[in-house]
Amino acid sequence: MPKLDLEAMDLDELWHLHEELTDILAERISAEKRELEKRLSQLNRAEQIGEATSPSEEPEADRPRRKYPKVLPKYYNPSAPTETWSGRGKQPRWLVAALRSGHKLEEFRIIDAEDAAANGVQREQRS
């Protein structure tokens, strides 16, 4: 196939070439679609007959998600103590703002019984 000089072609020639390419591509796409539909129908027939994969070979997408334990919060917002963060995933806006203003992450740490014992700090009793 000779190499075309597209820059030298006038608008009518380019448009005609565009239409030819569009027709060829549409025909090839239709042929590919028919082939894929044919393969899909064969797979569907095989599944209906019982030649599908055995239950032990099922894809992972069909399995239920694994249960993960709830993660306790490790950091809290001093101005709104109900806002907490576990230290996993994206940092909350209040923490990002505080860190940008010069605070350290450890300033927001929730001190639990284990941390308090390790650090020699006693936690306040809440009633």
Side-chain angles (χ1 to χ4, degrees), residues 59-113:
E60 290 183 22
D62 293 340
R63 287 190 221 155
R65 282 188 66 162
R66 190 173 105 195
K67 302 278 185 187
Y68 289 97
K70 184 167 176 68
V71 179
L72 296 175
K74 293 180 183 164
Y75 305 97
Y76 75 101
N77 183 355
S79 60
T82 58
E83 293 179 353
T84 59
W85 180 54
S86 67
R88 294 185 181 181
K90 190 173 179 180
Q91 291 179 335
R93 290 182 184 149
W94 58 265
L95 183 59
V96 171
L99 293 174
R100 283 190 183 152
S101 67
H103 291 278
K104 302 270 190 248
L105 184 61
E106 287 304 312
E107 295 174 31
F108 303 98
R109 189 142 180 92
I110 297 173
I111 299 176
D112 59 10

Side-chain angles (χ1 to χ4, degrees), residues 3-119:
K3 190 166 187 164
L4 299 175
D5 185 14
L6 299 176
E7 295 291 328
M9 297 175 99
D10 67 359
L11 185 61
D12 289 336
E13 290 174 321
L14 286 171
W15 186 254
H16 180 70
L17 181 62
H18 167 71
E19 288 176 340
E20 285 182 38
L21 287 172
T22 303
D23 291 342
I24 292 169
L25 285 172
E27 185 178 315
R28 288 188 182 177
I29 289 171
S30 295
E32 184 71 21
K33 184 179 175 184
R34 282 191 301 273
E35 181 64 31
L36 290 172
E37 287 173 347
K38 179 179 165 186
R39 290 171 58 190
L40 182 62
S41 67
Q42 288 173 346
L43 288 172
N44 284 338
R45 266 187 264 131
E47 193 172 286
Q48 289 173 355
I49 293 172
E51 296 176 10
T53 59
S54 65
S56 62
E57 297 175 3
E58 288 182 0
E60 290 183 22
D62 293 340
R63 287 190 221 155
R65 282 188 66 162
R66 190 173 105 195
K67 302 278 185 187
Y68 289 97
K70 184 167 176 68
V71 179
L72 296 175
K74 293 180 183 164
Y75 305 97
Y76 75 101
N77 183 355
S79 60
T82 58
E83 293 179 353
T84 59
W85 180 54
S86 67
R88 294 185 181 181
K90 190 173 179 180
Q91 291 179 335
R93 290 182 184 149
W94 58 265
L95 183 59
V96 171
L99 293 174
R100 283 190 183 152
S101 67
H103 291 278
K104 302 270 190 248
L105 184 61
E106 287 304 312
E107 295 174 31
F108 303 98
R109 189 142 180 92
I110 297 173
I111 299 176
D112 59 10
E114 292 174 13
D115 288 343
N119 296 333

